[in-house]
Amino acid sequence: MQNNDLYVIYGDQPKKMIMHLLDDIKVADEIPKDSLIGIKPNLVLAKPATSGATTSPEIIAGTIEYLQSEGFKNIIILESSWIGDSTVRSFRVCGYEDIAQKYGVELVDLKKDSSNVFEVGDISFDVCSKMLKLDYMINVPVLKGHCQTNMTCALKNIKGCIPDREKRRFHTLGLHKPIAYLNKVIETDLVIVDGIMGDLCYEEGGTPVTMNRIIIGKDPVLVDSFVAEIMGYELEDVPYIEIAEEIGVGISDLNNANITEYNKDEKIRNIDPPRSIKHLTEHIEEKEACSACYGSLVHALDRLHNQGLLNKLEGKIHIGQGFKDSQCEGLGVGKCTENFSNHIKGCPPKARDIIKFIKK
Ligand code: SF4
């Protein structure tokens, strides 16, 4: 697997999907035997993955099952929930205690860990010591929004690897620069993005949007650049990605990325969006839309809403497999609406493409 490789698989069975993906990419071939492998999920607080806030335990279970089937025995899960929440409680509520018991892996509460000081450029900060002992680090963030940094994914997930006092200080330093610099110290070997059901706006969940996908890559900058596109953000909307690139953490250029899509998400959406995003979904005319497609459109409409453009939209936007044979005047999203007078390509399309098209 090369640094510029990205793999995407769609569906709603995370454990099966991740096991298939890891096996097909042959991730085990790049991990030295007897390595201490650390898995860093996002358990920002004690809420289940269906809230949109935390990493699906099924993805973690599938990852461990794959690694153990390849003979890896030293696997630990590390996390420190946000300030004010107990990591131990998050492990329990999010289903990680059951995983630890089933697979015999240790849960490490980084809030109780010692720390080491590092200097990167003009910033110095403490990093949890246990993170520095890993031979191979698997970063498993959630694809979701964030009220201060717009989005949070691979690079920002590493903020859970520092003591609470440093988390506080990162906010006084403006978040973006310290997040980027922290990734210079804590290096990610593999990113597995939980894009099954992340939150539209908040890292603590509450407005979950089904996106039905898992993304794998090695470079956290490239992964975050790809996720920004999926969520409809430009790189300048998420400054820590550009800062991380400037200091050599990775490369954001999607034009030189090898993107492999394993399948198409053709599962018809069966979860109604929360009432809190009704102001977005009332612009949508849906017939049997896939979750991945619908999720992209919801993210795009949220960006347009935040830019004050949503109320300028005339008519509804059509989406879904039920429009496959329809020849209509109006705007359609995705390949299924290719016979509409205006349609946005993709199956599923990315939120950034939807935004660009609608603005034009
Ligand atoms: S274009 Fe059609 S088939 Fe493709 S993701 Fe959208 S709704 Fe599903």
Side-chain angles (χ1 to χ4, degrees):
M1 189 176 173
Q2 305 295 314
N3 276 1
N4 64 339
D5 286 335
L6 290 172
Y7 299 90
V8 188
I9 188 166
Y10 297 98
D12 58 2
Q13 295 180 48
K15 186 174 170 194
K16 212 166 136 191
M17 287 154 65
I18 190 63
M19 289 183 75
H20 175 73
L21 211 47
L22 293 173
D23 186 49
D24 203 74
I25 300 168
K26 301 199 183 335
V27 167
D29 291 355
E30 66 171 58
I31 311 175
K33 291 293 167 211
D34 300 322
S35 289
L36 174 61
I37 302 173
I39 299 177
K40 164 68 178 78
N42 183 331
L43 303 181
V44 60
L45 76 176
K47 274 188 183 177
T50 47
S51 69
T54 54
T55 304
S56 158
E58 283 189 60
I59 293 181
I60 303 298
T63 303
I64 296 171
E65 220 166 279
Y66 164 76
L67 292 169
Q68 290 184 338
S69 74
E70 293 290 332
F72 295 99
K73 294 191 175 67
N74 300 324
I75 303 168
I76 57 177
I77 300 173
L78 314 98
E79 178 58 310
S80 165
S81 296
W82 68 1
I83 299 163
D85 232 298
S86 147
T87 314
V88 173
R89 191 162 164 263
S90 298
F91 280 142
R92 190 179 64 248
V93 171
C94 300
Y96 284 62
E97 276 187 359
D98 295 341
I99 290 176
Q101 212 169 23
K102 180 171 178 190
Y103 297 102
V105 299
E106 186 192 351
L107 298 176
V108 178
D109 178 359
L110 291 173
K111 283 186 197 272
K112 296 174 183 153
D113 196 17
S114 56
S115 60
N116 296 56
V117 186
F118 283 87
E119 258 181 48
V120 181
D122 55 351
I123 305 183
S124 71
F125 41 73
D126 281 358
V127 170
C128 294
S129 308
K130 195 88 182 182
M131 292 305 297
L132 308 167
K133 298 197 172 95
L134 302 176
D135 300 308
Y136 193 86
M137 201 272 275
I138 305 178
N139 180 358
V140 197
V142 179
L143 178 164
K144 59 180 171 172
H146 188 278
C147 58
Q148 288 161 297
T149 58
N150 284 331
M151 61 163 257
T152 164
C153 197
L155 292 163
K156 193 178 168 299
N157 193 33
I158 300 304
K159 187 166 165 269
C161 307
I162 54 175
D164 277 0
R165 62 178 179 281
E166 286 295 40
K167 289 181 196 156
R168 272 190 208 99
R169 200 168 65 93
F170 269 34
H171 284 268
T172 68
L173 296 172
L175 276 179
H176 290 280
K177 187 172 171 182
I179 287 170
Y181 279 42
L182 179 61
N183 279 270
K184 204 67 182 154
V185 176
I186 301 179
E187 291 180 10
T188 292
D189 294 295
L190 187 73
V191 187
I192 299 173
V193 178
D194 175 356
I196 301 292
M197 189 184 282
D199 202 80
L200 181 66
C201 321
Y202 308 110
E203 65 172 332
E204 65 268 37
T207 46
V209 178
T210 308
M211 296 288 276
N212 270 8
R213 67 196 85 192
I214 293 175
I215 301 154
I216 286 191
K218 283 184 73 65
D219 178 346
V221 175
L222 188 69
V223 169
D224 277 8
S225 170
F226 185 59
V227 166
E229 185 180 59
I230 287 172
M231 293 178 71
Y233 287 113
E234 300 295 331
L235 278 191
E236 57 264 31
D237 296 327
V238 194
Y240 64 73
I241 301 177
E242 291 185 309
I243 301 171
E245 182 165 30
E246 277 162 26
I247 60 168
V249 175
I251 294 170
S252 67
D253 184 8
L254 291 172
N255 292 325
N256 281 319
N258 293 321
I259 302 171
T260 307
E261 285 193 306
Y262 270 75
N263 56 352
K264 293 287 170 201
D265 178 37
E266 292 190 344
K267 277 229 163 341
I268 293 172
R269 201 174 60 91
N270 59 7
I271 300 171
D272 283 332
R275 284 232 306 273
S276 51
I277 58 169
K278 195 168 172 288
H279 64 292
L280 305 176
T281 56
E282 65 191 9
H283 292 272
I284 303 175
E285 184 74 43
E286 182 231 347
K287 265 194 213 170
E288 299 164 17
C290 302
S291 297
C293 211
Y294 195 88
S296 294
L297 179 56
V298 168
H299 277 279
L301 293 179
D302 191 49
R303 300 299 88 78
L304 291 168
H305 172 69
N306 293 339
Q307 292 165 26
L309 298 173
L310 193 58
N311 55 7
K312 297 200 175 128
L313 208 59
E314 284 171 18
K316 296 222 177 195
I317 300 175
H318 304 79
I319 186 168
Q321 297 176 54
F323 289 112
K324 258 182 191 162
D325 300 318
S326 307
Q327 288 197 332
C328 300
E329 286 297 312
L331 179 57
V333 166
K335 192 175 183 321
C336 292
T337 59
E338 63 191 354
N339 294 322
F340 275 61
S341 52
N342 283 307
H343 105 277
I344 298 156
K345 289 183 188 158
C347 179
K350 298 183 179 77
R352 200 190 284 169
D353 294 336
I354 299 174
I355 294 165
K356 275 187 191 148
F357 191 94
I358 291 176
K359 278 185 172 173
K360 206 164 74 182

